[in-house]
Amino acid sequence: MLERKSVQDKKFIYGQFFTPIDICNSIVAQIDFQDYLVIEPSFGTGNFIKALKKIKNKKIGIELDNELFSASLCDENTELYNMDFYDFMPKTNKKLLFIGNPPFRTPAYSLTTHKHCINKLTKEYDVLGCREEAVFFILHTIDIFRRNNTTGEIHYIIPTSLLKNNSKYFDRFKKFLKEQCFFKNIISIQGSEFDNVTQDLVYLSLIVKPESTQETSLFALANQEQTTVIIDGKVCNLNEYLCLENNEVIPFQKIFKKTFLGSVPCESLLMSVQGESIHQFKNRLCKIISNNNIDIETLYKLLQYNNKFHLKIFDEPFESELVQKKLQVILSYVKNIQLKPDIISEFENLNNYKPIQVRDGTRFYFRCAKLKKNKNFVYELNPNPCKSFYFTGNPSHSSTDYFGYCEYDCNRNVSPGANRTVPIDGIEDNLTENFKKWWKKNTSEPLSNVFEYLIYISRTQWYKDMKKNNKRFYFAIPKKFIPLELRKI
Ligand SMILES: C[S@@+](CC[C@H](N)C(=O)[O-])C[C@H]1O[C@@H](n2cnc3c(N)ncnc32)[C@H](O)[C@@H]1O
């Protein structure tokens, strides 16, 4: 059962952001409903169901939250079910049309309630590595088509970043979408049109390809490689929009064999507070980790030293949504750590508390190789902090990005945050063979100059444009090498 302390928690856990009725009406007005069986898989307050009232097709609506579920929206054409979409598997020979705004949230709530089902879906469709609820919702949607050997359409509002994220896992998801569907239309929606949504959204309409290529009317669709798509009324290159197969760039994963990643919530647990001694920090952290019944309030108290927190976000009131969200994430880390009893004793060992010089003095950062081995612990912290190069991990069109050198694996803002780090010593062994070939073909500069080259790229107009054009841009450099003599900003 969902444990929750406030409405804010529930909104976040269930991914509850409701589509304004005028957007629902305008989407419904654009669709040719033919004789589709129409399914709204997570209808929330029911604006899509209301917008569909005039459509006489048979309709099914599903909503998990029993406090939102309202049977009053039923009519002679509409059946509503208060259930989990992942438990919904109709048997039908009708063509299907899915419409709605699936929950979005990372990590997905379904990973706690329907892990088996999600594992099965991600394995079957080879979309491993993503942890986003909207991705799983789309997988389950397509699975319903496949299990019924039917076709139809999907009309979902989703975060733009789902289609733009150029990490290898999301690339796989986007390729899966291209394999399974024809992209009919994409229309941008400002997140600000929704309450409490800051990220940009799109209305995505897809035609699900037939599995069997024998169906003549859709035969061509199933076989063709789609190259263009209509985005906001204009014909655009689909791969370019999806940031797929960009032969113009070398992504950071193809430069380095191994990088490390910190995280703000992780740091807020494992990093001491300003002024706190190593012993005080060790005692405080041990109190957190040894408390198997720890709840949000206790965690909130124990994250403080001298009424101060490491993270600025905790200057906000305890009840605020931001603070509650962050505490939930930190609590999930604590619970993950507690699953591995052999790690717990490591918190008693002072050698695992590494001093880190920051602007306001020395802090201590708990590091331990066993933490890395705990597969439940999602972050790839460097267990042996060392002189490192840091580069921005997840630049968005508006992010402030950091590139530089640090004594350990923290940048000058203390936070490894969303920064990735690479140990400086032994860099030659950590560069991929292909990258080394590319570098040597283009320059006689030593491989250790790679870091300076990355810093140079980060200051170019090319990098600024890449950030602007991609909502989520995982760091990459242009494939066309820029010789030393031309490197001027
Ligand atoms: C982004 S809101 C959108 C609601 C509605 N479709 C709209 O457009 O206003 C997502 C909805 O999904 C519901 N939800 C979350 N997980 C669900 C699940 N596993 N099965 C069914 N509904 C779910 C949430 O309670 C929430 O109402």
Side-chain angles (χ1 to χ4, degrees):
M1 267 317 284
L2 174 70
E3 277 178 35
R4 65 189 155 83
K5 294 277 178 283
S6 68
V7 176
Q8 260 83 6
D9 278 357
K10 192 178 75 166
K11 271 181 97 81
F12 170 63
I13 290 168
Y14 283 165
Q16 294 179 332
F17 304 98
F18 304 116
T19 313
I21 186 73
D22 50 335
I23 294 184
C24 298
N25 282 331
S26 95
I27 289 177
V28 166
Q30 294 175 41
I31 297 173
D32 173 5
F33 285 90
Q34 302 173 28
D35 58 350
Y36 288 120
L37 167 60
V38 179
I39 301 173
E40 195 333 357
S42 56
F43 66 78
T45 48
N47 280 350
F48 272 109
I49 302 284
K50 288 174 202 157
L52 288 163
K53 266 272 173 265
K54 321 175 253 321
I55 311 293
K56 293 299 165 215
N57 297 43
K58 184 162 165 17
K59 288 162 277 179
I60 295 179
I62 295 160
E63 171 55 48
L64 174 63
D65 183 354
N66 55 8
E67 288 174 26
L68 281 181
F69 180 84
S70 162
S72 69
L73 296 165
C74 288
D75 60 26
E76 73 274 19
N77 299 317
T78 314
E79 292 166 21
L80 299 178
Y81 299 99
N82 181 200
M83 67 183 291
D84 195 304
F85 178 51
Y86 298 105
D87 296 328
F88 174 74
M89 183 51 77
K91 278 204 170 56
T92 177
N93 51 16
K94 287 199 154 213
K95 292 197 175 175
L96 306 173
L97 186 144
F98 283 81
I99 184 167
N101 173 2
F104 40 98
R105 159 194 168 157
T106 306
Y109 179 53
S110 56
L111 285 170
T112 56
T113 60
H114 285 71
K115 202 166 171 108
H116 180 68
C117 163
I118 302 299
N119 283 347
K120 213 162 148 246
L121 283 171
T122 52
K123 231 177 177 171
E124 181 157 349
Y125 294 105
D126 192 20
V127 181
L128 298 161
C130 293
R131 293 160 57 78
E132 166 54 52
E133 193 79 83
V135 167
F136 301 151
F137 242 68
I138 293 172
L139 286 182
H140 184 58
T141 305
I142 294 192
D143 196 46
I144 293 174
F145 283 95
R146 296 303 171 223
R147 291 200 184 277
N148 286 289
N149 195 14
T150 189
T151 55
E153 300 186 11
I154 298 174
H155 298 260
Y156 279 168
I157 292 176
I158 55 169
T160 314
S161 56
L162 240 61
L163 300 179
K164 291 283 187 186
N165 189 321
N166 65 340
S167 72
K168 65 177 178 199
Y169 299 129
F170 275 85
D171 274 2
R172 187 59 216 115
F173 167 66
K174 291 179 286 183
K175 283 181 188 157
F176 155 83
L177 274 188
K178 277 188 71 188
E179 281 155 23
Q180 303 279 338
C181 304
F182 180 83
F183 285 65
K184 202 173 164 192
N185 200 3
I186 297 175
I187 297 177
S188 314
I189 302 176
Q190 297 291 321
S192 52
E193 293 183 49
F194 289 62
D195 278 349
N196 290 322
V197 175
T198 48
Q199 56 179 322
D200 286 339
L201 306 169
V202 285
Y203 158 48
L204 171 67
S205 66
L206 300 166
I207 299 175
V208 178
K209 292 179 184 176
E211 203 161 33
S212 139
T213 51
Q214 303 310 312
E215 270 195 54
T216 46
S217 62
L218 290 165
F219 182 83
L221 200 62
N223 284 291
Q224 76 189 33
E225 158 80 16
Q226 186 179 1
T227 52
T228 57
V229 60
I230 299 170
I231 301 171
D232 296 328
K234 282 195 214 123
V235 179
C236 300
N237 181 301
L238 180 59
N239 277 354
E240 214 168 274
Y241 178 79
L242 296 176
C243 310
L244 277 173
E245 289 151 33
N246 188 343
N247 289 326
E248 305 292 300
V249 307
I250 306 178
F252 78 85
Q253 301 94 328
K254 296 204 168 154
I255 301 176
F256 301 111
K257 288 184 196 159
K258 173 82 193 151
T259 59
F260 295 102
L261 182 65
S263 81
V264 170
C266 184
E267 179 189 304
S268 58
L269 174 68
L270 301 178
M271 173 94 89
S272 67
V273 174
Q274 187 190 3
E276 191 174 30
S277 74
I278 187 167
H279 291 280
Q280 287 162 328
F281 178 44
K282 187 194 86 160
N283 292 343
R284 186 167 64 77
L285 197 50
C286 286
K287 270 191 202 155
I288 296 177
I289 302 299
S290 61
N291 182 346
N292 286 322
N293 300 319
I294 192 158
D295 57 13
I296 290 282
E297 281 89 359
T298 317
L299 178 64
Y300 181 75
K301 277 187 208 129
L302 286 173
L303 285 175
Q304 303 174 41
Y305 165 73
N306 235 354
N307 299 324
K308 273 190 297 203
F309 292 92
H310 166 59
L311 276 196
K312 274 218 159 18
I313 192 179
F314 290 124
D315 293 348
E316 300 284 318
F318 172 70
E319 303 74 34
S320 77
E321 191 173 356
L322 279 176
V323 167
Q324 288 292 318
K325 267 189 198 174
K326 197 65 83 188
L327 286 170
Q328 285 287 357
V329 180
I330 300 172
L331 187 64
S332 75
Y333 294 166
V334 174
K335 300 273 177 209
N336 277 336
I337 293 170
Q338 289 172 339
L339 288 174
K340 289 262 172 185
D342 62 326
I343 296 176
I344 295 169
S345 57
E346 296 291 344
F347 284 86
E348 298 284 353
N349 183 350
L350 270 186
N351 292 330
N352 289 331
Y353 293 78
K354 311 285 183 191
I356 289 184
Q357 298 310 321
V358 297
R359 278 176 306 193
D360 56 19
T362 304
R363 300 279 187 94
F364 301 94
Y365 206 147
F366 177 83
R367 288 304 169 80
C368 158
K370 283 189 194 162
L371 197 56
K372 191 187 86 177
K373 283 190 198 135
N374 179 356
K375 74 178 168 59
N376 287 313
F377 204 77
V378 288
Y379 291 96
E380 307 155 67
L381 288 163
N382 182 350
N384 301 306
C386 56
K387 222 172 179 10
S388 300
F389 173 75
Y390 58 82
F391 66 100
T392 194
N394 189 4
S396 70
H397 63 291
S398 58
S399 58
T400 308
D401 302 334
Y402 299 103
F403 294 80
Y405 302 94
C406 49
E407 280 305 306
Y408 290 91
D409 52 351
C410 295
N411 69 22
R412 63 190 163 83
N413 279 345
V414 179
S415 164
N419 277 353
R420 287 193 174 266
T421 57
V422 193
I424 292 172
D425 288 344
I427 179 61
E428 286 80 0
D429 298 332
N430 193 15
L431 293 169
T432 65
E433 294 312 313
N434 278 344
F435 180 80
K436 282 196 240 186
K437 270 190 218 147
W438 176 84
W439 181 267
K440 285 180 181 157
K441 198 176 85 192
N442 284 297
T443 177
S444 56
E445 291 172 73
L447 285 165
S448 54
N449 275 20
V450 165
F451 297 129
E452 286 303 310
Y453 189 71
L454 265 46
I455 292 177
Y456 164 75
I457 296 296
S458 75
R459 294 177 183 153
T460 57
Q461 192 57 42
W462 178 89
Y463 178 69
K464 287 175 192 146
D465 290 345
M466 287 306 274
K467 269 174 49 117
K468 203 164 106 201
N469 298 335
N470 294 276
K471 299 276 172 209
R472 273 273 167 271
F473 177 60
Y474 286 85
F475 185 69
I477 61 173
K479 203 162 214 174
K480 193 169 176 327
F481 188 78
I482 301 167
L484 194 55
E485 58 280 11
L486 295 183
R487 272 177 236 161
K488 291 187 194 91
I489 300 286

